[in-house]
DNA sequence: GGGAAATATTTCTGTCAAGGAATACGAGCA
DNA sequence: TGCTCGTATTCCTTGACAGAAATATTTCCC
């Protein structure tokens, strides 16, 4: 559970992050939105918080979670060379098509 | 093990993909490059193949694995809204700084 | 065809993480 | 102070996956 990728590999956690795209949500709201028990959600929230993907703010008896997408840049960075690779494939395809056009 | 993200969450599998950025490699070469037993590597290669992340080609007694980065687009797509979110944060920061400049 | 090299598959075991139930904690309110 | 709501933590069980060792399979060479 060290890397961001591993944290994000869990479907429920991805759901939580997607939910937080709408804005800050209380733990209770997140529980209501997930097919999971309250403790289950709470545990996922802890993992996300430890990974720096969310920040918490206390307001009265509630905990408000806010998305913090910065660590996802790590995934983006990892993806970069592969993005280049698939662009090369596209380039090759275009070159091929161009070659066909000439005939 | 359904999604690409889960497949790629495994460090050894990421290592294999990174290795294949250099070009086609035989299973043996991959085994030699990883701190893992031959069967272990072979199993990971199967997972990668099932996920469509590599293609195999037989040449003599060897199996040559080639990178096929297309499924990674799925991760890229998932990342998109979060990328927007972090751009918003940057914009907010710039706006803030611009505001400070004026004073 | 027999043997050896390259790789895949099976079997087994240990580990780790996810999920649920119960419990603990903390803040606000009567 | 005691009670209740919102949330976190603990404990336990279960299932899945990673890894190693042994075995099977395929292909080449003699």
């Amino acid at each position: 559970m060290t890397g961001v990728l591993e944290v994000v590999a869990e479907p429920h956690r991805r759901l939580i992050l997607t939910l937080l795209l709408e804005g800050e949500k209380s733990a209770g709201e997140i529980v209501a939105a997930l097919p999971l028990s309250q403790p289950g959600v709470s545990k996922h929230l802890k993992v996300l918080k430890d990974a720096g993907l969310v920040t918490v703010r206390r307001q009265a008896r509630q905990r408000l979670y806010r998305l913090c997408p910065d660590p996802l840049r790590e995934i983006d960075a990892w993806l970069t060379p592969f993005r280049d690779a698939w662009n090369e494939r596209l380039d090759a395809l275009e070159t091929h098509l161009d070659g066909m056009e000439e005939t």
Side-chain angles (χ1 to χ4, degrees), chain A:
Chain A
M1 196 65 53
T2 37
V4 186
L5 256 166
E6 281 137 282
V7 169
V8 158
E10 220 286 327
H12 289 135
R13 287 197 282 263
R14 279 201 302 272
L15 245 172
I16 293 176
L17 292 180
T18 303
L19 203 65
L20 288 180
L21 277 172
E22 300 172 5
E24 210 176 33
K25 297 233 186 273
S26 73
E29 288 177 290
I30 300 174
V31 169
L34 290 209
L36 222 63
S37 67
Q38 179 267 318
V41 171
S42 189
K43 212 172 56 171
H44 283 309
L45 286 172
K46 178 175 172 45
V47 174
L48 289 170
K49 188 183 57 182
D50 290 349
L53 283 163
V54 300
T55 57
V56 207
R57 187 167 67 95
R58 303 165 103 120
Q59 175 182 287
R61 283 176 288 189
Q62 306 193 344
R63 311 267 180 123
L64 299 181
Y65 285 86
R66 176 185 293 274
L67 179 65
C68 186
D70 297 38
L72 293 177
R73 285 171 179 279
E74 191 180 306
I75 300 178
D76 204 58
W78 179 79
L79 227 41
T80 300
F82 299 98
R83 233 182 322 249
D84 295 348
W86 79 53
N87 284 334
E88 276 172 28
R89 288 170 67 110
L90 279 189
D91 290 350
L93 179 64
E94 280 170 16
T95 306
H96 181 80
L97 291 178
D98 287 353
M100 291 189 64
E101 259 174 35
E102 286 178 13
T103 62

